[in-house]
Amino acid sequence: MTSRNDPALRQPRLTGIVNVASAGQFPLDFSDLMLERGYSGIRAYGQSKLAQIMSGFELAGRVPAGEVTVNSLHPSTYMPTKIVMDEIGHSIDSLADGVAATRRLVSDPALAQVTGRFFDRAREARANAQAYDAAARAELWNRSLQLTGQADPA
């Protein structure tokens, strides 16, 4: 039974951002960021997932770590979604597996202060090497601002 005097209940919960990304990542080509040459669906998917992770890493470094955590997650592999079943024809992991991995990253007290990381299901993992390139992350950040017409909030 949990008491109202429990220290864990008195501590405010950080705001957490979880990017549901993928282990299927493809390096960004900044000379063709919008994929106007040589388009392929799998390349677009992989680049978009890496861009999510890179943006998450960049954002994690820009917001107060004591207030907001930003992490990225590959929740599971080939869950039985419509697109997976139509394109692949079979699933590997269940939807419940993906939900459990996501829920853990959002609510596990052991991860409450963890930020700027990539997880493969329930374990911390390495994203594509480009995600750890500070210059590439800054370029993506700036290009994103340009494409959306937004000013840098910093």
Side-chain angles (χ1 to χ4, degrees):
M1 184 149 153
T2 306
S3 160
R4 289 181 189 234
N5 295 326
D6 185 335
L9 293 178
R10 290 192 309 256
Q11 295 177 0
R13 178 84 175 137
L14 297 176
T15 298
I17 298 169
V18 175
N19 290 317
V20 179
S22 176
Q25 304 156 29
F26 196 94
L28 280 65
D29 175 358
F30 288 104
S31 70
D32 187 23
L33 192 59
M34 300 305 290
L35 302 175
E36 295 171 318
R37 299 182 308 275
Y39 178 85
S40 81
I42 195 70
R43 178 177 167 218
Y45 175 85
Q47 283 191 192
S48 72
K49 294 305 178 177
L50 180 57
Q52 282 182 298
I53 295 165
M54 292 171 67
S55 295
F57 285 3
E58 187 68 16
L59 183 59
R62 290 172 176 260
V63 297
E67 297 174 22
V68 180
T69 61
V70 185
N71 293 293
S72 299
L73 168 73
H74 169 73
S76 69
T77 299
Y78 294 146
M79 292 181 288
T81 61
K82 181 174 179 10
I83 193 168
V84 167
M85 298 312 287
D86 287 351
E87 296 295 322
I88 309 296
H90 69 279
S91 63
I92 293 176
D93 292 328
S94 71
L95 290 172
D97 294 333
V99 169
T102 305
R103 181 175 288 130
R104 176 183 171 270
L105 192 52
V106 169
S107 63
D108 186 340
L111 299 173
Q113 300 291 323
V114 174
T115 191
R117 308 283 175 78
F118 174 67
F119 291 82
D120 182 349
R121 299 174 185 94
R123 66 176 179 79
E124 190 172 338
R126 292 281 298 171
N128 179 282
Q130 193 177 35
Y132 302 95
D133 180 338
R137 289 194 315 269
E139 176 71 13
L140 178 62
W141 184 269
N142 290 327
R143 296 284 292 274
S144 296
L145 292 172
Q146 290 169 357
L147 288 166
T148 59
Q150 298 298 305
D152 194 335

